[in-house]
Amino acid sequence: MRELPFHTILIANRGEIAVRIIKTLRRLGLRSAIVYHDADAGTPAVSMADTAIAISGRTPIAAYLDIAQIIAAAHKASADALHPGYGFLSENAEFARAVIKAGIAFIGPAPESIELMGDKIRAHKFVQRKRFPVAPSAIEEDDPATFTFRARAVGVPLLVKPSAGGGGKGMRIVRDLATLEDAIAQARAVRGRGTSAMAGFTSNDMSKTRGTSKYRCSATPSET
């Protein structure tokens, strides 16, 4: 196996996510370091890591979102790379830039990619320019005056989603066009302003999909 460019990786996460990363690092012969809030001091991830560094915060979440503390911990652990896991700061472009600026490799997408894919409307237009196939959709910012008309033209069922909501926040399924405007308003409320995009999706037989739906395209209000 070729020599890897890293020796110690700081894990900026907790719980099962961190355990998985630690196990992988062991298989690769790399050292693991982890940050932890006092509430997680007795968890398996903390005991499994080669180095564990305490960070503080009013709540565990506040601690795991503290960019300055995490970078300081990486330096303390002599980490040459940082793995954000998923959730927390993993999709924060500012964090990725700060890690790189501190001379630590960020294991994840480039900050520019995080920013691009974090806005569903920008991402949708980007893949269109690259000539990837995309599903029928309507994006409000393209022409706000005709948005509802264009959304109705896509047909039901529809999915309404905030551009930068994340985690499914503000997402609404519309099966009856009479509820369309209410769904858009709820999606907008996630960010308090911005536009919405509509996209259709198809529902398969419930017995075949175990209650899931196949989305043709996400639909989203953007921050403009």
Side-chain angles (χ1 to χ4, degrees):
M1 183 174 67
R2 66 185 180 84
E3 184 177 352
L4 296 171
F6 312 128
H7 299 286
T8 301
I9 286 78
L10 182 85
I11 302 162
N13 220 298
R14 69 198 293 207
E16 183 219 359
I17 303 166
V19 168
R20 289 184 180 188
I21 297 169
I22 291 169
K23 288 181 177 179
T24 299
L25 294 178
R26 284 181 178 177
R27 288 197 298 271
L28 294 173
L30 299 173
R31 287 179 51 80
S32 61
I34 192 170
V35 291
Y36 71 93
H37 183 272
D38 186 59
D40 294 322
T43 60
V46 175
S47 60
M48 289 172 62
D50 295 303
T51 302
I53 298 172
I55 55 176
S56 60
R58 186 175 56 84
T59 64
I61 291 176
Y64 293 111
L65 293 178
D66 191 320
I67 294 175
Q69 275 199 95
I70 291 172
I71 290 177
H75 285 309
K76 185 175 181 180
S78 298
D80 35 26
L82 183 147
H83 196 312
Y86 57 86
F88 291 125
L89 292 166
S90 64
E91 297 180 32
N92 186 312
E94 177 188 348
F95 176 56
R97 286 194 178 93
V99 171
I100 295 167
K101 186 176 180 180
I104 302 164
F106 181 76
I107 300 175
E112 295 77 16
S113 297
I114 295 174
E115 285 179 334
L116 172 64
M117 301 311 293
D119 184 317
K120 305 304 183 298
I121 292 175
R122 287 183 60 209
H124 185 272
K125 292 181 176 180
F126 175 80
V127 297
Q128 276 188 311
R129 289 197 301 271
K130 298 298 180 180
R131 298 189 177 183
F132 286 94
V134 296
S137 63
I139 298 174
E140 187 175 28
E141 67 178 26
D142 289 345
D143 183 5
T146 65
F147 171 63
T148 302
F149 172 80
R150 290 182 290 111
R152 289 176 181 276
V154 175
V156 291
L158 301 170
L159 181 68
V160 182
K161 189 180 187 304
S163 177
K169 295 176 183 176
M171 185 183 295
R172 295 291 182 272
I173 294 173
V174 176
R175 293 186 173 88
D176 183 344
L177 289 177
T179 65
L180 176 59
E181 292 186 11
D182 181 60
I184 292 173
Q186 291 182 61
R188 285 175 177 155
V190 171
R191 295 290 172 170
R193 68 182 193 279
T195 60
S196 296
M198 283 309 298
F201 76 98
T202 56
S203 298
N204 285 344
D205 184 288
M206 296 290 275
S207 64
K208 294 179 181 177
T209 61
R210 297 172 59 137
T212 62
S213 298
K214 288 187 176 180
Y215 295 103
R216 288 162 54 194
C217 179
S218 61
T220 58
S222 76
E223 292 186 316
T224 54

